[in-house]
């Protein structure tokens, strides 16, 4: 049977990186149909149709889907679920809000953060902060799952899938939008950036975190932070990388003043190249780093930024 993949859309714009990586995962399960939902979803649907491996794009465009509320989208997916063996989404905050509700309405289990697909019923997912991989077999008629996009390659473009309109489902009216408070930045988005520079508690203060931002700007990189740095007030919550933050897998990850707690490693250990700068030569981060520099970050980072 076919696989229904929920495309990641924000304000009418398709998150191509997350969606295309989820397509790679979904292709291993069957024919892929991408569902694009939003108050404006036509352009996102047209872009999704160009991802290689997508057989069909379903576009549901209605004002009720414009405020990222889980309930109306979940009811729409449940109404479409009968024709699919799997319902898949990239493991984003939106999908983690919507798919558990879909699973509950269908009375099936939710498979979260899938990192490997063995067959149509058997999947791998990390547990214990990524220190063990759990193999899960589901006998549910419909499998509902989020995939950790960092574990899958980007599906190429060049497809020409059929695009169909889908009628909106009845809005259950269980929640209502009040307001959005969003932070804007000229830097790349953290989970899709090719380079990430992260600072830890060793940076010392919110004001000194500027040296992390300076290095990131030189590299055209996203800025990340450890939970310790976020909890200390040095960086905002949406910069947090780790088990309870965002999972990243950039081409280059630079960890500055980060000791390397298990919870942080769970969020960045799939990075292609890891560089660590820390004055403690016994810091656990050096065990996963490809390149390690034992130095005072307050002299090493400004020097590196200057040379760049």
């Amino acid at each position: 049977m076919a696989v229904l993949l929920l495309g990641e859309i924000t304000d009418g714009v398709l998150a191509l990186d997350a969606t295309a990586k989820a397509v790679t995962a979904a292709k291993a399960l069957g024919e892929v149909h991408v569902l694009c939902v939003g108050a404006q979803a036509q352009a996102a649907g047209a872009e999704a149709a160009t991802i290689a491996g997508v057989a069909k794009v379903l576009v549901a465009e209605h004002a009720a889907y414009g405020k990222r509320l889980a309930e109306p989208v979940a009811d729409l997916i449940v109404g479409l679920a009968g024709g699919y063996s799997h319902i898949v989404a990239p493991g984003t905050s939106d999908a983690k809000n919507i798919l558990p509700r879909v699973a509950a309405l269908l009375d099936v289990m939710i498979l979260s953060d899938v990192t490997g697909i063995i067959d149509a019923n058997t999947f791998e997912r990390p547990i214990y902060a990524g220190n063990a991989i759990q193999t899960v077999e589901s006998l549910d008629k419909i499998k509902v799952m989020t995939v950790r996009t960092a574990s899958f390659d980007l599906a190429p473009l060049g497809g020409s899938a059929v695009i169909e309109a889908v009628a909106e489902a009845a809005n259950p009216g269980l929640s209502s939008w009040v307001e959005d408070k969003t932070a804007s930045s000229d830097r790349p988005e953290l989970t899709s950036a090719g380079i990430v520079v992260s600072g830890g508690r060793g940076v010392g203060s919110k004001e000194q975190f500027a040296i992390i931002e300076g290095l990131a700007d030189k590299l055209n990189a996203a800025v990340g932070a450890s939970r310790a740095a976020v909890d200390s007030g040095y960086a905002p919550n949406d910069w947090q990388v780790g088990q309870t933050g965002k999972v990243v897998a950039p081409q280059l990850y630079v960890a500055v003043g980060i000791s390397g707690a298990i919870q942080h490693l769970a969020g960045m250990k799939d990075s292609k190249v890891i560089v660590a700068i820390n004055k403690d030569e016994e810091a656990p981060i050096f065990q996963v780093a490809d390149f390690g520099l034992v130095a005072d970050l307050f002299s090493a980072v400004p020097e590196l930024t200057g040379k760049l």
Side-chain angles (χ1 to χ4, degrees):
M1 293 182 70
V3 179
L4 183 64
L5 170 63
L6 179 63
E8 177 70 11
I9 297 175
T10 303
D11 296 331
V13 178
L14 181 73
L16 186 59
D17 183 270
T19 304
K21 287 179 178 178
V23 167
T24 298
K27 284 193 297 186
L29 300 168
E31 182 178 282
V32 180
H33 296 179
V34 177
L35 175 63
C36 293
V37 183
Q40 290 88 36
Q42 294 288 347
E47 189 171 11
T50 66
I51 302 174
V54 175
K56 183 187 292 186
V57 175
L58 305 177
V59 176
E61 192 173 79
H62 191 270
Y65 305 134
K67 298 301 181 183
R68 307 176 80 161
L69 300 179
E71 290 83 359
V73 177
D75 280 20
L76 172 67
I77 294 173
V78 170
L80 298 170
Y84 297 96
S85 59
H86 298 74
I87 298 172
V88 181
T92 62
S93 56
D94 277 350
K96 290 175 181 178
N97 190 21
I98 295 167
L99 258 60
R101 179 173 178 82
V102 171
L105 292 170
L106 293 173
D107 194 25
V108 299
M109 68 188 293
I110 176 75
L111 298 160
S112 61
D113 268 350
V114 169
T115 56
I117 296 171
I118 298 174
D119 58 40
N121 299 319
T122 314
F123 312 94
E124 293 179 339
R125 59 184 301 274
I127 57 173
Y128 303 133
N131 283 292
I133 300 298
Q134 181 183 56
T135 301
V136 182
E137 182 179 13
S138 172
L139 300 181
D140 289 328
K141 183 178 180 181
I142 301 175
K143 282 78 175 174
V144 179
M145 53 196 281
T146 63
V147 298
R148 181 174 287 189
T149 54
S151 300
F152 297 94
D153 294 330
L154 196 69
L157 300 181
S160 56
V162 175
I163 301 176
E164 294 182 4
V166 177
E168 69 274 8
N171 189 344
L174 297 175
S175 64
S176 60
W177 174 82
V178 177
E179 65 175 329
D180 288 334
K181 292 184 178 180
T182 58
S184 59
S185 174
D186 294 331
R187 298 189 182 101
E189 203 279 321
L190 183 57
T191 55
S192 60
I195 304 174
V196 174
V197 179
S198 286
R201 183 158 43 196
V203 177
S205 71
K206 182 178 181 179
E207 291 71 28
Q208 290 173 319
F209 221 83
I211 68 172
I212 304 298
E213 298 178 63
L215 177 57
D217 290 341
K218 280 286 187 178
L219 294 170
N220 191 29
V223 178
S226 68
R227 178 170 180 171
V230 170
D231 287 349
S232 299
Y234 304 166
N237 288 345
D238 59 343
W239 288 4
Q240 184 177 325
V241 173
Q243 183 184 14
T244 54
K246 295 179 179 178
V247 177
V248 300
Q251 294 296 316
L252 172 63
Y253 187 88
V254 183
V256 181
I258 295 175
S259 63
I262 289 173
Q263 292 83 354
H264 186 77
L265 299 183
M268 46 66 72
K269 65 181 182 180
D270 289 329
S271 304
K272 305 301 183 289
V273 176
I274 299 173
V275 175
I277 302 174
N278 199 301
K279 66 180 180 181
D280 178 10
E281 63 183 27
E282 301 298 326
I285 191 72
F286 288 125
Q287 296 177 15
V288 300
D290 298 286
F291 299 94
L293 176 62
V294 179
D296 184 343
L297 69 89
F298 296 109
S299 58
V301 174
E303 182 181 357
L304 174 58
T305 303
K307 291 182 182 299
L308 287 168

